[in-house]
């Protein structure tokens, strides 16, 4: 892994809604886009990127309000929600000429990946995602989840700014809690990683910018799940999707995967045993292999489309329900 002080300088997108995205891009081949979670940044993918660059053109941006991307005070619903984040990533993909990408994400990045696929299916050939995923419904209001999602209520308060924003020691203690509590039993927290995240999250305004995700009705997990409704069968997400669901994630229990059929037309579900919330770091090889498999499927679909007049809808790789 590249040490924080040895990282190459990041590139910047053109502004969308006044916000630029910082990004790393490496490798060559078909497009892969990697979207990180909270509390992280594009370095969540440091261990995974080298496993892909010999076969793919890999784009790893910092989402709005994270890492080195722009951070301004703005209406969270407009700018920092799943739709706002997806709009920014889609604009970056348009700017770089990326199409038919395998888009992968977890946590915030998982939700944004699904939103991009729904908004701009021309950009996304396939998804590889870990929770945040739909299906919890009102189960999120049960006692166990409420105890785990306490931080989403704290993030609504100006007290979060007063106690944490710009305070390096407070940022370190707060971030360490989540990286320790949400990870699986075999994950060893890298102190250099915490040092890096404390550096980027301690800049005045950075912590508040990152938690604007939770200050929207569509992105706050509690409000989003408690009010979610199942789409009609025809409106389910059609993008071929690999779901990597961990069984040691305290905020997204594996049992919540029982509703995926209601939201996805074409998906496979893989249970990650012994793995916690931070899938790119805790299950790096399995995440990379899932992306490679979707790349192979995408290339196979492209070859078949050149040699067959059969409509693409009749060449679906998996059944409509897709579950394995």
């Amino acid at each position: 892994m590249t040490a924080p002080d040895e990282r190459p300088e990041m590139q910047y997108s053109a502004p969308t809604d006044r916000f630029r995205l910082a990004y790393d891009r490496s490798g060559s081949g078909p497009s892969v886009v990697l979207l990180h979670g909270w509390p992280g940044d594009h370095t969540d993918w440091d261990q995974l990127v080298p496993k892909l660059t010999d076969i793919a053109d890999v784009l790893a941006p910092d989402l709005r309000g994270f890492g080195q991307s722009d951070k301004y005070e703005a209406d969270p619903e407009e700018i920092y929600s799943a739709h706002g984040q997806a709009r920014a990533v889609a604009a970056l993909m348009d700017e770089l000429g990326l199409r038919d990408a395998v888009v992968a994400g977890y946590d915030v990045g998982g939700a944004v990946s699904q939103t991009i696929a729904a908004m701009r299916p021309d950009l996304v050939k396939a998804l590889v995602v870990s929770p945040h995923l739909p299906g919890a419904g009102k189960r999120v209001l049960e006692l166990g989840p409420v105890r785990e999602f306490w931080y989403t209520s704290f993030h609504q308060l100006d007290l979060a700014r007063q106690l944490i924003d710009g305070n390096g020691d407070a940022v370190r203690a707060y971030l360490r809690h989540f990286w320790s509590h949400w990870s699986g039993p075999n994950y060893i927290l890298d102190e250099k990683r915490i040092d890096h995240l404390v550096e980027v999250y301690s800049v005045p305004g950075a912590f508040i910018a990152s938690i604007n995700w939770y200050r929207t009705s569509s992105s706050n997990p509690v409000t989003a799940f408690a009010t979610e409704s199942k789409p009609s069968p025809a409106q389910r997400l059609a993008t071929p999707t690999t779901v990597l669901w961990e069984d040691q994630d305290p905020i997204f229990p594996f049992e919540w995967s029982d509703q995926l059929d209601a939201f996805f037309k074409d998906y496979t579900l893989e249970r990650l045993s012994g793995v916690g919330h931070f899938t790119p770091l805790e299950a790096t090889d399995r995440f990379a292999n899932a992306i490679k498999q979707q790349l192979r499927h995408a290339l196979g679909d492209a070859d078949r489309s050149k040699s067959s007049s059969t409509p693409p809808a009749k060449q679906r790789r998996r059944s409509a329900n897709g579950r394995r």
Side-chain angles (χ1 to χ4, degrees), residues 243-264:
V243 174
L244 303 175
W245 204 308
E246 329 86 282
D247 67 4
Q248 296 296 313
D249 187 338
I251 54 173
F252 293 103
F254 182 77
E255 290 74 17
W256 287 358
S257 66
D258 63 350
Q259 296 299 308
L260 291 175
D261 282 338
F263 296 90
F264 295 88

Side-chain angles (χ1 to χ4, degrees), residues 140 144-153 221-222 225 251-252 256:
V140 75
V146 166
R147 286 175 172 171
E148 292 293 344
F149 280 114
W150 62 269
Y151 64 95
T152 63
S153 296
V222 175
F225 289 145
I251 54 173
F252 293 103
W256 287 358

Side-chain angles (χ1 to χ4, degrees), residues 54-75:
D54 60 336
I55 60 169
D57 176 3
V58 184
L59 175 68
D62 284 333
L63 295 170
R64 283 179 177 174
F66 293 86
Q68 297 182 44
S69 290
D70 286 344
K71 306 168 184 65
Y72 304 130
E73 289 194 14
D75 176 14

Side-chain angles (χ1 to χ4, degrees), residues 105-107 129-133 182-185 243-257 269-280 282-283 286-287:
Y106 84 105
D107 190 77
V129 290
S130 284
H132 192 290
L133 281 152
W182 286 354
S183 55
V243 174
L244 303 175
W245 204 308
E246 329 86 282
D247 67 4
Q248 296 296 313
D249 187 338
I251 54 173
F252 293 103
F254 182 77
E255 290 74 17
W256 287 358
S257 66
L269 171 64
E270 180 178 349
R271 179 172 183 158
L272 301 182
S273 299
V275 175
H277 185 69
F278 301 103
T279 46
E282 298 187 57
R286 293 172 79 175
F287 214 126

